[in-house]
Amino acid sequence: MPPAASSLRLQARLFTTSTAHARTAPNPFTTIKKLSKRIAEKNQPGPAPPHPYRPRTTYKQSNQGLYGGAHIQYGNQISEKNEIKTRRFWRPNIQTKQLWSEALGRMIRLRLQARVLRTIDKVGGLDEYILGNKAQRIKELGPSGWALRWCLVNSNAVKTRFRHERKRLGVPKMSIKNRLELRERVEAIPEAGMEGVQSGAAELSLEAQNSSRSE
């Protein structure tokens, strides 16, 4: 056998072994859809409650990432000489990034707007942005960010963090009955609105405090 043919066979064998190893190697990155499925199979937290705001019917790709409420903007392009107006549009600056989640301990591949990326750097990470409790932040998350928020809330790291915060603030632990009632109100968010659910959660918290004081 000539030396050239033997070297070609050796290179082909090495290429086949490397590709097989690459296929079996674990992928350190994941998407929101795969992550939510994996969390549901592991912890069995139940399906995520519906998003407080309906999915967008225009610019539907914003439902599959962290777009921050961005949409296509329309306007006119005016020529300098004759001031002729020509219709045009501006797409938002959408990028695909891989961000680290401290609570989940893995990289998550996301499609997000550049403005959202700056906000994530400002608040101190992806987890802090997703766990924001303001109504505008929850609206900006969209269905995809809401599913990621559900995965974070059901992680052990976030549960431990919330437990320490409740202990520090002196908030009593809610009973199973109050938890079930709160979940029913969360599932009724699209009908009641975000303000109705927040008021209901405040009432349940007051009931828990009164029951703990009476005991």
Side-chain angles (χ1 to χ4, degrees):
M1 181 182 298
S6 62
S7 62
L8 288 175
R9 287 191 176 184
L10 180 59
Q11 291 178 3
R13 188 180 303 172
L14 292 174
F15 176 76
T16 306
T17 306
S18 61
T19 53
H21 177 70
R23 291 175 182 174
T24 57
N27 186 8
F29 308 107
T30 185
T31 58
I32 296 177
K33 187 175 181 181
K34 294 180 181 179
L35 182 63
S36 59
K37 183 179 180 181
R38 192 177 305 165
I39 294 293
E41 293 176 353
K42 184 177 180 181
N43 298 337
Q44 297 180 356
H51 190 248
Y53 304 92
R54 296 180 179 178
R56 300 188 62 174
T57 57
T58 59
Y59 199 51
K60 296 182 180 179
Q61 66 171 313
S62 62
N63 297 325
Q64 306 299 325
L66 300 178
Y67 282 51
H71 54 85
I72 300 177
Q73 297 182 0
Y74 297 90
N76 297 320
Q77 182 176 356
I78 304 175
S79 62
E80 296 181 0
K81 184 175 180 180
N82 299 322
E83 296 185 357
I84 298 175
K85 295 183 179 180
T86 304
R87 294 294 292 175
R88 61 157 297 179
F89 60 88
W90 294 267
R91 295 182 182 274
N93 185 8
I94 304 301
Q95 303 178 7
T96 301
K97 296 291 184 179
Q98 296 163 349
L99 302 179
W100 174 257
S101 174
E102 292 288 344
L104 301 176
R106 63 174 59 247
M107 300 288 287
I108 301 176
R109 185 181 290 109
L110 294 167
R111 286 176 56 85
L112 72 168
Q113 191 190 12
R115 178 173 60 83
V116 174
L117 186 61
R118 291 195 299 269
T119 306
I120 291 175
D121 293 336
K122 181 180 179 180
V123 299
L126 177 63
D127 297 347
E128 300 297 330
Y129 177 81
I130 296 295
L131 295 175
N133 55 2
K134 292 185 178 180
Q136 183 63 28
R137 175 65 54 79
I138 294 175
K139 184 177 181 180
E140 291 179 355
L141 290 179
S144 182
W146 184 257
L148 180 57
R149 182 187 178 96
W150 180 249
C151 296
L152 289 175
V153 168
N154 286 280
S155 63
N156 295 328
V158 176
K159 287 181 180 179
T160 305
R161 170 184 168 181
F162 288 168
R163 192 182 305 116
H164 290 323
E165 288 184 0
R166 287 195 300 267
K167 185 176 180 181
R168 180 175 59 86
L169 297 174
V171 178
K173 187 177 181 181
M174 296 181 65
S175 62
I176 298 178
K177 180 180 178 181
N178 290 340
R179 290 182 183 178
L180 295 176
E181 187 175 352
L182 181 59
R183 181 174 179 82
E184 292 177 357
R185 297 194 182 190
V186 170
E187 292 177 351
I189 285 178
E191 292 78 12
M194 197 64 190
E195 296 179 356
V197 175
Q198 289 178 350
S199 62
E203 292 176 0
L204 291 176
S205 178
L206 289 176
E207 292 177 3
Q209 292 179 4
N210 295 332
S211 60
S212 63
R213 289 175 182 176
S214 61
E215 293 176 357

